[in-house]
Amino acid sequence: MGWQGNTPRHHITLEMSQVPVELKVSRGLVAYLEAVAAMEARVAAIHAGTAPELLWFLEHPPLYTAGTSAQENELLLPDKFPVFKTGRGGQYTYHGPGQRVVYVVLDLKKRGEDVRCFVRDLEDCIIKALGTLGVTGERREGRIGIWVARNDGAMAREDKIGAIGVRVRHWVTYHGLAINVSPDLTNFAGIVPCGVTSHGVTSLADLGIKVGMADLDAALKAAFTDVFNLQLQII
């Protein structure tokens, strides 16, 4: 996964630096197109100065999304789940129950207008949250996302546990990140996840970490508060 930006526009209609960032945690499964429509509406409202920024924690029903760099041959089982083309950067990814998706709708005009720094901050959030739960997440040069080193007997490998895919419009970010808590990992076999063929995918459950979604949420809230210096308001 990656990021997709557009032509910068330096237009501020309302100073919102003192306004708390809203935190929404959805129960149940949220339809993908419903989520995208809600994000796009919030992006427009933030740009217009009529709504605060947003962190949205949710889960989707099983589906595949195709980012702007997705190649048709990377969709290995096209009939397995619904497939949605999306404006975020990156390639194919899987979303489904047991995976925490965080949609991050923040105004980069207040944060240096630096998309690469924003993506690195998202990586830091994942690493900090995983660390709270006893997992060492790491960056890898040339691979977006967060990885876990594995050593199963004589074979050492690296598996992906956290994915990042963002888009930026009017310097407002949307889409975001996904962390595998306890999804059915076999569903990743229907795609080449994020274009990576030489590494696997893992989850907290697969690593033997017995935590629930609420545990990860608490760790993520603390990480976002720390990394982005946010004041969160639950809605």
Side-chain angles (χ1 to χ4, degrees), residues 31-97:
Y32 184 73
L33 293 181
E34 174 188 335
V36 171
M39 277 192 292
E40 292 182 341
R42 180 59 69 100
V43 168
I46 292 171
H47 178 60
T50 59
E53 299 167 297
L54 173 70
L55 295 182
W56 187 5
F57 291 22
L58 54 83
E59 294 174 80
H60 285 307
L63 58 93
Y64 297 129
T65 63
T68 55
S69 301
Q71 303 295 317
E72 187 173 342
N73 63 355
E74 294 172 345
L75 180 60
L76 306 178
L77 299 175
D79 299 323
K80 185 174 179 63
F81 296 126
V83 181
F84 297 95
K85 292 185 178 180
T86 179
R88 63 157 175 81
Q91 294 156 292
Y92 282 101
T93 195
Y94 165 76
H95 293 311

Side-chain angles (χ1 to χ4, degrees), residues 77-207:
L77 299 175
D79 299 323
K80 185 174 179 63
F81 296 126
V83 181
F84 297 95
K85 292 185 178 180
T86 179
R88 63 157 175 81
Q91 294 156 292
Y92 282 101
T93 195
Y94 165 76
H95 293 311
Q99 180 191 72
R100 174 53 86 214
V101 173
V102 181
Y103 288 136
V104 184
V105 192
L106 296 179
D107 188 354
L108 291 189
K109 293 192 296 291
K110 301 191 298 187
R111 297 177 172 82
E113 298 181 348
D114 188 331
V115 177
R116 293 188 184 279
C117 180
F118 170 68
V119 171
R120 188 169 184 85
D121 285 345
L122 290 182
E123 292 174 339
D124 281 343
C125 286
I126 298 175
I127 290 170
K128 283 178 176 289
L130 292 176
T132 299
L133 302 175
V135 174
T136 301
E138 301 174 328
R139 296 180 176 90
R140 287 293 179 264
E141 187 69 27
R143 287 188 254 143
I144 292 177
I146 299 302
W147 302 80
V148 176
R150 310 288 298 272
N151 191 345
D152 298 338
M155 183 178 68
R157 69 178 195 272
E158 294 176 343
D159 291 340
K160 192 169 191 176
I161 192 168
I164 294 173
V166 302
R167 189 174 184 182
V168 180
R169 180 182 294 169
H170 308 309
W171 286 111
V172 181
T173 69
Y174 60 120
H175 297 279
L177 60 88
I179 300 175
N180 297 326
V181 179
S182 57
D184 182 347
L185 295 179
T186 64
N187 290 331
F188 284 92
I191 56 172
V192 178
C194 302
V196 177
T197 58
S198 56
H199 301 279
V201 179
T202 190
S203 67
L204 292 170
D206 182 52
L207 294 170

